[in-house]
């Protein structure tokens, strides 16, 4: 490696330095001329095209956003245009990394489905039955798309919650809006045009942005298609489509041919409700560490080091070995183990910055080793060995995961989790919302949203 390579600070930092340091007086008259020429050309062409059908449709969609189509921002209770509400609620629902999971997707389905669907359903006064049907459709599309492509797609660094979720959420919104086959195809093409999301952003605010952005994109795609905006019918599986660009050209024929002909994924692969508010890749280890701690009365001070071994690609999202913030700690096996041993729990408060930075917790990070074994990526498992300073060690292998489709949380455990989440914002009684949500089949979405407590700023 030469000195120039050693000094390389990375693309984002290099761009940032350029942006910060660039001075306007660098520009000559010729530069200004080039810019005003571009300005004249661009605006002139836009004026010429302003009454083309695509522009007319776009203005109609935007007029609807500005007019009566608004939805509620969950918590603060303010009204926003539906696309903005979907974005805001998507960010809020993903930032704690406590939202549910789909194993085939290797991502979080509800956070791209429900902010979009609830915003649309509230604005258009749809029923709980309408929303449930749309959710089932969206999850089905997510899982059927995920199965052929997920392993390599995720391993390459795509954030599948966003990159695949936007397609499923768009299909769900299309169902809720009653779009035709052609309109749904157009909506999906528009979703492909916006699909994105990188695992590089894990541990930052941008991860939750990616989820919120995908929910908003789904609303935008479906609404534009509803107004008549078109796209390429081969945007997903054409030569230059999603499967070629985002995957490895895997065929979707077998998986998608089962749509509507097989058991619904809503129950078959299931929705996995998280027990702990951090990356799912840590949960088996947390279960094991907490079990060993309780069984043998362990404390952090007694432990020399901990070895965690997992199956192939199981720990890919865990990118922060020495986290300094709560967001980073949500993608750290080291913090998961240290917090579980130190406190006997892993809860929302475990990820306050000051709790992550506790000296005894920080000092323990280097004592947690994480390894993957070669072999199949499924079924998932974690093996935990806790070594004590007195020479003893305790070991536990965890295959079943609390909160998974095979070992789901009970309703009582779910309500306890919900109450903990509301109390985190000092809302003590969410009972009206919980009761109304359980009546989904028989009420409107407006009724459910109206029952949400308002959180003070």
């Amino acid at each position: 490696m030469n000195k120039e390579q050693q000094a390389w600070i990375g693309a984002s930092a290099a761009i940032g330095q350029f942006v910060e340091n660039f001075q306007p007086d660098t520009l000559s008259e010729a530069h200004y001329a080039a810019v005003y020429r571009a300005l004249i050309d661009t605006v002139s062409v836009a004026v010429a095209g302003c009454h083309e059908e695509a522009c007319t449709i776009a203005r109609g969609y935007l007029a609807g956003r500005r007019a009566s189509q608004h939805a509620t921002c969950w918590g603060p209770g303010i009204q926003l245009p539906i696309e903005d509400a979907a974005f805001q609620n998507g960010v809020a629902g993903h930032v704690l990394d406590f939202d549910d999971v789909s194993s085939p997707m290797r991502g979080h389905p509800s956070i791209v489905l429900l902010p979009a669907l609830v915003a649309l359903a509230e604005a258009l006064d749809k029923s709980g039955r309408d929303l449930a049907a749309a959710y089932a459709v969206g999850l089905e599309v997510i899982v059927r798309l995920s199965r052929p492509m997920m392993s390599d797609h995720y391993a390459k660094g795509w954030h599948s919650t966003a990159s695949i979720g936007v397609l499923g959420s768009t299909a769900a919104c299309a169902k809720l809006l009653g779009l035709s086959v052609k309109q749904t195809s157009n909506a999906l093409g528009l979703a492909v045009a916006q699909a994105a999301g990188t695992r590089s952003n894990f541990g930052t605010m941008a991860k939750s942005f990616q989820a919120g952005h995908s929910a908003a994109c789904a609303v935008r795609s479906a609404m534009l298609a509803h107004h008549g905006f078109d796209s390429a019918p081969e945007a997903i599986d054409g030569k230059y489509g999603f499967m070629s660009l985002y995957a490895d050209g895997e065929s979707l024929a077998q998986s998608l041919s089962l749509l509507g002909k097989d058991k619904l994924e809503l129950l078959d692969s299931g929705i996995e409700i998280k027990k702990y508010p951090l990356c799912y890749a840590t949960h088996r280890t947390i279960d094991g560490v907490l079990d060993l701690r309780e069984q043998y009365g362990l404390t952090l001070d007694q432990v020399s080091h901990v070895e965690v071994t997992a199956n192939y690609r199981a720990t890919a999202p865990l990118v922060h070995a020495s986290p300094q913030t709560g967001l980073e700690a949500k993608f750290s096996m080291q913090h998961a183990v240290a917090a579980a041993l130190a406190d006997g729990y892993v809860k929302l408060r475990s990820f306050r910055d000051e709790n992550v930075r506790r000296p005894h917790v920080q000092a323990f990070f280097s004592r947690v080793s994480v390894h993957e074994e070669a072999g199949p990526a499924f079924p998932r498992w974690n093996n935990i060995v806790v070594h004590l300073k007195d020479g003893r060690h305790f070991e536990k292998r965890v295959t079943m995961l609390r909160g998974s489709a095979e070992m789901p949380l009970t309703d009582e455990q779910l309500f306890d989790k919900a109450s903990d989440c509301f109390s985190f914002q000092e809302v003590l009684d969410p009972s009206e919302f919980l009761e109304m949500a359980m009546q989904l089949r028989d009420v409107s979405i407006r009724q459910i949203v109206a029952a949400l407590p308002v959180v003070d700023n």
Side-chain angles (χ1 to χ4, degrees):
M1 183 180 292
N2 59 39
K3 291 183 179 180
E4 183 178 339
Q5 289 173 317
Q6 289 177 334
W8 176 238
I9 58 175
S12 295
I15 294 167
Q17 286 188 2
F18 169 72
V19 169
E20 181 179 32
N21 296 329
F22 187 82
Q23 298 299 318
D25 57 16
T26 304
L27 299 177
S28 67
E29 288 300 319
H31 292 122
Y32 281 102
V35 174
Y36 76 62
R37 282 167 54 83
L39 177 63
I40 291 169
D41 181 66
T42 301
V43 174
S44 299
V45 172
V47 170
C50 72
H51 289 308
E52 291 296 302
E53 186 177 11
C55 295
T56 303
I57 292 169
R59 280 198 300 277
Y61 164 66
L62 294 172
R65 286 188 63 198
R66 291 193 301 270
S68 59
Q69 293 179 332
H70 284 70
T72 302
C73 174
W74 307 337
I78 61 175
Q79 293 290 299
L80 296 171
I82 50 176
E83 189 179 310
D84 298 348
F87 171 74
Q88 167 65 25
N89 293 331
V91 171
H94 196 54
V95 70
L96 296 176
D97 226 279
F98 209 5
D99 47 310
D100 66 27
V101 171
S102 161
S103 285
M105 179 196 195
R106 201 162 188 190
H108 304 258
S110 292
I111 201 55
V112 287
L113 291 169
L114 288 176
L117 290 175
V118 172
L120 272 176
E122 181 188 0
L124 303 176
D125 198 17
K126 297 288 186 177
S127 69
R129 291 189 182 196
D130 294 330
L131 183 137
Y135 182 96
V137 164
L139 183 67
E140 196 75 11
V141 170
I142 285 173
V143 174
R144 297 294 179 181
L145 286 173
S146 297
R147 289 192 189 280
M149 64 178 287
M150 177 45 54
S151 181
D152 288 339
H153 179 78
Y154 194 87
K156 286 179 179 178
W158 290 103
H159 180 199
S160 52
T161 297
S163 57
I164 295 178
V166 68
L167 300 178
S169 187
T170 297
C173 291
K175 175 62 179 176
L176 192 67
L177 290 171
L179 299 191
S180 67
V181 172
K182 183 176 181 180
Q183 288 173 319
T184 298
S185 175
N186 286 334
L188 289 168
L190 292 168
V192 170
Q194 303 167 88
T198 170
R199 288 200 288 113
S200 290
N201 281 327
F202 283 18
T204 72
M205 296 178 190
K207 183 176 190 280
S208 60
F209 167 86
Q210 289 171 178
H213 174 69
S214 295
C217 286
V219 172
R220 182 185 305 132
S221 299
M223 292 292 286
L224 282 170
H226 177 67
H227 280 77
F229 217 96
D230 71 3
S231 70
E234 64 275 10
I236 292 178
D237 57 352
K239 182 178 180 181
Y240 304 113
F242 182 86
M243 294 302 294
S244 294
L245 300 174
Y246 292 69
D248 285 327
E250 297 93 340
S251 173
L252 294 173
Q254 181 177 356
S255 185
L256 296 186
S257 68
L258 296 175
L259 285 171
K261 300 176 183 177
D262 208 350
K263 295 178 182 178
L264 285 176
E265 297 289 354
L266 185 56
L267 294 182
D268 199 38
S269 59
I271 299 296
E272 306 186 25
I273 295 176
K274 281 188 170 185
K275 184 175 175 62
Y276 310 111
L278 74 166
C279 181
Y280 213 37
T282 65
H283 285 214
R284 286 181 177 83
T285 291
I286 293 172
D287 284 346
V289 169
L290 290 176
D291 287 348
L292 290 172
R293 186 183 190 278
E294 181 178 6
Q295 183 176 356
Y296 297 105
L298 303 179
T299 65
L300 187 67
D301 290 341
Q302 293 177 289
V303 178
S304 168
H305 63 285
V306 177
E307 296 175 281
V308 178
T309 307
N311 54 281
Y312 180 55
R313 288 181 172 174
T315 63
L318 304 178
V319 295
H320 293 288
S322 299
Q324 300 301 307
T325 68
L327 286 176
E328 290 178 351
K330 288 178 179 291
F331 300 92
S332 173
M333 184 71 84
Q334 287 74 13
H335 183 264
V337 171
L341 284 171
D343 303 321
Y345 60 78
V346 179
K347 297 184 177 181
L348 287 169
R349 60 179 173 269
S350 304
F351 299 92
R352 296 190 185 279
D353 289 351
E354 60 270 24
N355 288 335
V356 174
R357 293 173 185 154
R358 289 177 292 174
H360 64 293
V361 170
Q362 288 277 321
F364 197 79
F365 292 162
S366 62
R367 301 182 190 177
V368 180
S369 62
V370 183
H371 307 282
E372 291 182 1
E373 273 193 6
F378 294 96
R380 299 286 193 203
W381 55 268
N382 280 188
N383 197 75
I384 305 101
V385 184
V386 178
H387 296 266
L388 302 190
K389 293 176 181 177
D390 64 11
R392 292 179 298 160
H393 73 272
F394 302 107
E395 184 171 354
K396 188 176 183 71
R397 186 179 181 90
V398 180
T399 55
M400 297 291 283
L401 179 61
R402 293 166 188 152
S404 67
E406 295 78 20
M407 194 185 291
L409 300 187
T410 65
D411 282 352
E412 183 179 359
Q413 289 173 320
L414 172 60
F415 297 156
D416 286 344
K417 172 181 173 177
S419 296
D420 183 46
C421 288
F422 278 97
S423 65
F424 193 63
Q425 293 297 339
E426 299 182 354
V427 175
L428 301 180
D429 187 12
S431 58
E432 183 181 357
F433 163 70
L434 299 178
E435 291 169 7
M436 191 64 70
M438 291 177 67
Q439 300 176 50
L440 178 67
R441 179 193 295 268
D442 302 312
V443 298
S444 72
I445 298 305
R446 286 182 179 176
Q447 289 175 284
I448 294 175
V449 173
L452 267 172
V454 174
V455 176
D456 294 333
N457 292 330

